[in-house]
PDB file of all heavy atoms in Angstrom:
ATOM      1  N   GLY V 359      31.602 -49.428-101.171  1.00  0.00           N
ATOM      2  CA  GLY V 359      33.092 -49.583-101.202  1.00  0.00           C
ATOM      3  C   GLY V 359      33.579 -50.859-101.838  1.00  0.00           C
ATOM      4  O   GLY V 359      32.688 -51.747-102.189  1.00  0.00           O
ATOM      5  N   TYR V 360      34.723 -50.997-102.020  1.00  0.00           N
ATOM      6  CA  TYR V 360      35.336 -52.199-102.638  1.00  0.00           C
ATOM      7  C   TYR V 360      36.760 -52.455-102.142  1.00  0.00           C
ATOM      8  O   TYR V 360      37.399 -51.520-101.599  1.00  0.00           O
ATOM      9  CB  TYR V 360      35.259 -52.116-104.158  1.00  0.00           C
ATOM     10  CG  TYR V 360      35.979 -50.925-104.714  1.00  0.00           C
ATOM     11  CD1 TYR V 360      37.282 -50.972-105.146  1.00  0.00           C
ATOM     12  CD2 TYR V 360      35.291 -49.750-104.839  1.00  0.00           C
ATOM     13  CE1 TYR V 360      37.916 -49.838-105.665  1.00  0.00           C
ATOM     14  CE2 TYR V 360      35.932 -48.577-105.326  1.00  0.00           C
ATOM     15  CZ  TYR V 360      37.250 -48.716-105.773  1.00  0.00           C
ATOM     16  OH  TYR V 360      37.893 -47.592-106.246  1.00  0.00           O
ATOM     17  N   ALA V 361      37.223 -53.611-102.288  1.00  0.00           N
ATOM     18  CA  ALA V 361      38.573 -53.940-101.809  1.00  0.00           C
ATOM     19  C   ALA V 361      39.217 -55.005-102.678  1.00  0.00           C
ATOM     20  O   ALA V 361      38.520 -55.747-103.440  1.00  0.00           O
ATOM     21  CB  ALA V 361      38.527 -54.449-100.390  1.00  0.00           C
ATOM     22  N   LEU V 362      40.523 -55.144-102.664  1.00  0.00           N
ATOM     23  CA  LEU V 362      41.248 -56.100-103.450  1.00  0.00           C
ATOM     24  C   LEU V 362      41.735 -57.200-102.526  1.00  0.00           C
ATOM     25  O   LEU V 362      42.373 -56.898-101.484  1.00  0.00           O
ATOM     26  CB  LEU V 362      42.374 -55.423-104.157  1.00  0.00           C
ATOM     27  CG  LEU V 362      43.017 -56.116-105.404  1.00  0.00           C
ATOM     28  CD1 LEU V 362      41.988 -56.484-106.390  1.00  0.00           C
ATOM     29  CD2 LEU V 362      44.119 -55.265-105.980  1.00  0.00           C
ATOM     30  N   TYR V 363      41.532 -58.424-102.937  1.00  0.00           N
ATOM     31  CA  TYR V 363      41.944 -59.637-102.141  1.00  0.00           C
ATOM     32  C   TYR V 363      42.855 -60.497-103.012  1.00  0.00           C
ATOM     33  O   TYR V 363      42.760 -60.499-104.198  1.00  0.00           O
ATOM     34  CB  TYR V 363      40.744 -60.425-101.719  1.00  0.00           C
ATOM     35  CG  TYR V 363      39.689 -59.650-100.891  1.00  0.00           C
ATOM     36  CD1 TYR V 363      38.663 -58.939-101.468  1.00  0.00           C
ATOM     37  CD2 TYR V 363      39.727 -59.730 -99.497  1.00  0.00           C
ATOM     38  CE1 TYR V 363      37.809 -58.257-100.743  1.00  0.00           C
ATOM     39  CE2 TYR V 363      38.776 -59.085 -98.741  1.00  0.00           C
ATOM     40  CZ  TYR V 363      37.833 -58.266 -99.410  1.00  0.00           C
ATOM     41  OH  TYR V 363      36.841 -57.630 -98.578  1.00  0.00           O
ATOM     42  N   VAL V 364      43.679 -61.300-102.348  1.00  0.00           N
ATOM     43  CA  VAL V 364      44.451 -62.299-102.976  1.00  0.00           C
ATOM     44  C   VAL V 364      44.200 -63.687-102.404  1.00  0.00           C
ATOM     45  O   VAL V 364      44.006 -63.734-101.204  1.00  0.00           O
ATOM     46  CB  VAL V 364      45.913 -61.982-102.970  1.00  0.00           C
ATOM     47  CG1 VAL V 364      46.463 -61.889-101.518  1.00  0.00           C
ATOM     48  CG2 VAL V 364      46.788 -62.856-103.811  1.00  0.00           C
ATOM     49  N   GLN V 365      44.131 -64.672-103.245  1.00  0.00           N
ATOM     50  CA  GLN V 365      43.841 -66.030-102.665  1.00  0.00           C
ATOM     51  C   GLN V 365      45.108 -66.657-102.142  1.00  0.00           C
ATOM     52  O   GLN V 365      46.194 -66.726-102.822  1.00  0.00           O
ATOM     53  CB  GLN V 365      43.373 -66.945-103.871  1.00  0.00           C
ATOM     54  CG  GLN V 365      42.824 -68.286-103.343  1.00  0.00           C
ATOM     55  CD  GLN V 365      42.217 -69.130-104.495  1.00  0.00           C
ATOM     56  OE1 GLN V 365      42.563 -68.942-105.632  1.00  0.00           O
ATOM     57  NE2 GLN V 365      41.274 -69.989-104.073  1.00  0.00           N
ATOM     58  N   GLN V 366      45.022 -67.111-100.928  1.00  0.00           N
ATOM     59  CA  GLN V 366      46.114 -67.798-100.239  1.00  0.00           C
ATOM     60  C   GLN V 366      45.580 -69.040 -99.699  1.00  0.00           C
ATOM     61  O   GLN V 366      44.421 -69.397 -99.905  1.00  0.00           O
ATOM     62  CB  GLN V 366      46.704 -66.914 -99.182  1.00  0.00           C
ATOM     63  CG  GLN V 366      47.366 -65.640 -99.741  1.00  0.00           C
ATOM     64  CD  GLN V 366      47.972 -64.742 -98.639  1.00  0.00           C
ATOM     65  OE1 GLN V 366      47.740 -64.907 -97.411  1.00  0.00           O
ATOM     66  NE2 GLN V 366      48.702 -63.724 -99.073  1.00  0.00           N
ATOM     67  N   ALA V 367      46.392 -69.843 -98.999  1.00  0.00           N
ATOM     68  CA  ALA V 367      46.001 -71.129 -98.469  1.00  0.00           C
ATOM     69  C   ALA V 367      44.698 -71.087 -97.630  1.00  0.00           C
ATOM     70  O   ALA V 367      43.858 -71.988 -97.706  1.00  0.00           O
ATOM     71  CB  ALA V 367      47.102 -71.774 -97.682  1.00  0.00           C
ATOM     72  N   GLU V 368      44.546 -69.995 -96.824  1.00  0.00           N
ATOM     73  CA  GLU V 368      43.356 -69.871 -95.943  1.00  0.00           C
ATOM     74  C   GLU V 368      42.175 -69.249 -96.647  1.00  0.00           C
ATOM     75  O   GLU V 368      41.222 -68.966 -95.980  1.00  0.00           O
ATOM     76  CB  GLU V 368      43.813 -69.121 -94.646  1.00  0.00           C
ATOM     77  CG  GLU V 368      44.285 -67.670 -94.943  1.00  0.00           C
ATOM     78  CD  GLU V 368      45.831 -67.620 -95.185  1.00  0.00           C
ATOM     79  OE1 GLU V 368      46.426 -68.631 -95.285  1.00  0.00           O
ATOM     80  OE2 GLU V 368      46.264 -66.440 -95.219  1.00  0.00           O
ATOM     81  N   GLY V 369      42.243 -68.969 -97.938  1.00  0.00           N
ATOM     82  CA  GLY V 369      41.171 -68.315 -98.671  1.00  0.00           C
ATOM     83  C   GLY V 369      41.596 -66.965 -99.176  1.00  0.00           C
ATOM     84  O   GLY V 369      42.778 -66.660 -99.286  1.00  0.00           O
TER      85      GLY V 369
END
Side-chain angles (χ1 to χ4, degrees):
Y360 55 96
L362 197 55
Y363 301 86
V364 63
Q365 188 176 29
Q366 295 179 348
E368 60 272 8

